[in-house]
Amino acid sequence: MSSGLLRPGLEGGLGPPREVRKMNRATVLKLENLVHLHCACRQLHSLPYRKVHRAQWKPLHPSAYPTLSAQLYSQLWQANKFSSVALSQYRLLATDTWEKKQKQKLSSIKPKVKKEVVEIWQNMTVEDLARVMNKDIDHVYETLLNTNVDLDSLTSNSVLEEVWVKEAVKKSGMTYKQRELKKKMRKNKDVVKRPPADPALLTPRPPVVTILGHVDHGKTTLLDNLRKSQVAAMEAGGITQHIGAFLVHLPSGEKITFLDTPGHAAFTAMRARGSRITDIVILVVAADDGVMEQTVESIHHAKNAKVPIILAINKCDKPEADPERVKKELLAYDVVCEDYGGDVQAVNISALKGDNLMALAEATVALAEVLELKADFAGLVKGVVIESRIDKGKGPVTTAVIQGGTLRKGCFLIAGKSWAKVRLMYDENGQTMAVATPGLPVEIMGWKEIPSAGDEILEVESEQIARNVVDWRNYAEQQEKIKQDIEVIEAKRKKHRDEYEKQQEMFDGLSWRMRKRAQYEAGKDVWFLRPKEREESDRNVLPIIVKGDVDGSVETLLNILDGYNAKDECELDILHFGIGDINQNDINLAEPFKGIIYGFCVNADSSTQKLAAKKGIKIKLHNIIYKLIEDLKEELSRRLPLAVHELEIGEASVLAIFYGTVKKNKNVPVAGCRVQEGQLNRKMKFKVIRNGDVIWKGLSTSLKHFKDDVQVVKAGMECGLSLDQYTDIKIGDQIICYEEKEVKESISWDPGF
């Protein structure tokens, strides 16, 4: 049979696999042979019973097989036809069976679940990614655990690299598609300063005078005597630690607004801020001390702000006072008094006794008249935040100086990223004020958030405008932060790329085995550490929380901590800072980090202290800033590992070398020594010094005085000393006996005071 009969309907198209076709073909061939044999047997069996005439037989041909008659051929052909039909039916049946099995297999496979698709874009923040995936922020952190992302520095507003975003989406069982963000240019809704008013509409205002000088030179005492108050008596430690604004009424009817700034070295930022918002600077210098560090700093602040100076030489009542020496010292800093041909007024005073204070006030008023200080009383309000704090009964409160306009109850103000509808106003004595005009200090109540000291205050027409301005400023700050984050990311990428290229250059030309070996050798010291040990060995950290009573105090503390320069010894991690008393939220924040809470001029109620004691959190309260810094330095020093110091006990010189038996060891070199200082103790450690270099350290195996084993040999005595496993001892060597002691180290950080 031809191959075309054997494979009907299977050529072309999709059929069974090759293995199935080969198996079917073998089966068909076997069945075909059986059918042929069966038909042949039936034909042969039927021959004796058929009535076949002899004439039908033809003579035999010379062949190996007999030739059958036409009828037999016909019957055989019919049999073959039957077999072909049977085989075709079998093939069809086999094909149908295979197709049914394939359909059953395909139907048993469950359809794939379609993954959720999220849209991603460049510069996505953690909060953006959590929102598009419909997950919380903690879920995003979990997906980034095994990546190179620094999770400790990651916040909800941190910008993620595109690789990290894709990795987080993939681990969340989702797919992503890129989305091109159409950047909409937001309209700038910020408020700007009004143009200067018509000079004809301006009215004289009280001068704003800042008192600057070195700590303990009598600035606050001077102000006390001017306003007949006791401000200095209320200051912790006798030093001013806040910037204060006071209105002083002179007997002549004139008014002067004084700003009292701290003289301590820590409050540089406060003094700089005071000089920027003032009209006149009174520089207080003690006649007995002369020009000091903060005096020079105050001069620089005044010159940078281009503010005129009046020199007040204080403590002239003291016997050792020398005002002329002060004037001469100031010449070196380009402060030339009128006595020496300059334009700086100098007044000798005694703030403690009140001597010559009116002369100082008159000099200030005279200079203010020369400056012709005027302001617009009718326009919109503008001013400067001097200080801000949280009052338990009033909420956020700011101390401000009005520079223009007239402030009234109900005005809408903007300062930094906060706004206020003025509810109440107070003077420096706590009395309610109806209006506040230019040049006057005022406490403002009604702020939604605490503005920062130094922020400019501007009045707007409505609450909606105030909200829009704050929204715009928050948006602008966020955009600036995103820009900075991108710059940091790009810098890190460049650094990693440079490190990778440098590493590749090191491994260039090495086989893969040698490269792996080199990488192993480079990192084996860290790999063999347990994860916990590795983390502890990498970082020595002191986490802290800082709370202060006013914004300026917190600013000062943060400025001091910014100068911390001992990170290689112990890192200082500021978990949080804020204004107001210490509360339970601060305790909960410090608990996971085992942090310490430092409070400056604030309190912690009994429930907060009990919670802190229960959770093992330290609360340290201070009213004097340098004591707080000293406490912090002690705490940092406690985190340092103990240092091993060598305490010398005695010194001996080698005079001769002997050989003897020590602990059954023969021919052991023994140093014949004379003790020069102190004593040699058998139980202590020894070191050998030759030509000024230490060449050996270890223990001794024996110490003898003549033939007796001894424990101690004192100065002036001779002895024989053998050293453990050291035989290269020579005449003239020095032998030092010392004791190792663990000593507590101190942090090397110097805050500058």
Side-chain angles (χ1 to χ4, degrees), residues 132-152:
V132 298
M133 292 197 304
N134 198 20
K135 303 286 186 181
D136 55 16
I137 293 178
D138 290 337
H139 174 80
V140 178
Y141 289 156
E142 291 175 5
T143 58
L144 298 174
L145 279 176
N146 296 323
T147 63
N148 294 328
V149 183
D150 184 8
L151 295 180
D152 293 335

Side-chain angles (χ1 to χ4, degrees), residues 36-86:
H36 286 172
L37 180 61
H38 177 66
C39 293
C41 291
R42 287 185 61 184
Q43 294 293 334
L44 292 174
H45 181 70
S46 62
L47 284 178
Y49 301 98
R50 291 174 183 266
K51 296 179 180 180
V52 181
H53 199 271
R54 287 182 181 272
Q56 294 176 346
W57 292 95
K58 294 182 180 179
L60 292 172
H61 296 280
S63 174
Y65 300 98
T67 303
L68 299 178
S69 64
Q71 184 181 1
L72 182 59
Y73 273 111
S74 176
Q75 292 175 353
L76 285 174
W77 178 84
Q78 291 177 357
N80 290 336
K81 184 178 180 181
F82 167 76
S83 65
S84 297
V85 173

Side-chain angles (χ1 to χ4, degrees), residues 396-439:
V397 177
T398 63
T399 300
V401 171
I402 305 302
Q403 296 175 320
T406 300
L407 183 63
R408 294 180 174 84
K409 182 179 177 181
C411 290
F412 294 98
L413 304 178
I414 297 290
K417 296 188 294 297
S418 179
W419 67 277
K421 181 180 180 181
V422 180
R423 293 166 54 194
L424 288 172
M425 296 180 295
Y426 303 92
D427 61 14
E428 72 274 12
N429 298 316
Q431 302 297 319
T432 305
M433 299 175 65
V435 295
T437 54

Side-chain angles (χ1 to χ4, degrees), residues 218-233:
K219 299 183 300 298
T220 306
T221 305
L222 167 62
L223 191 58
D224 285 347
N225 273 300
L226 284 173
R227 57 193 290 258
K228 303 301 180 182
S229 63
Q230 294 296 323
V231 177

Side-chain angles (χ1 to χ4, degrees), residues 38 145 198 224 261 293 322 331 405 459 548 552 569 576 578-579 586 663:
H38 177 66
L145 279 176
D198 186 356
D224 285 347
T261 60
E293 183 180 353
D322 188 356
L331 291 174
E459 182 184 1
E569 301 173 33
H576 172 67
I579 302 171
D586 300 323
K663 293 184 178 181

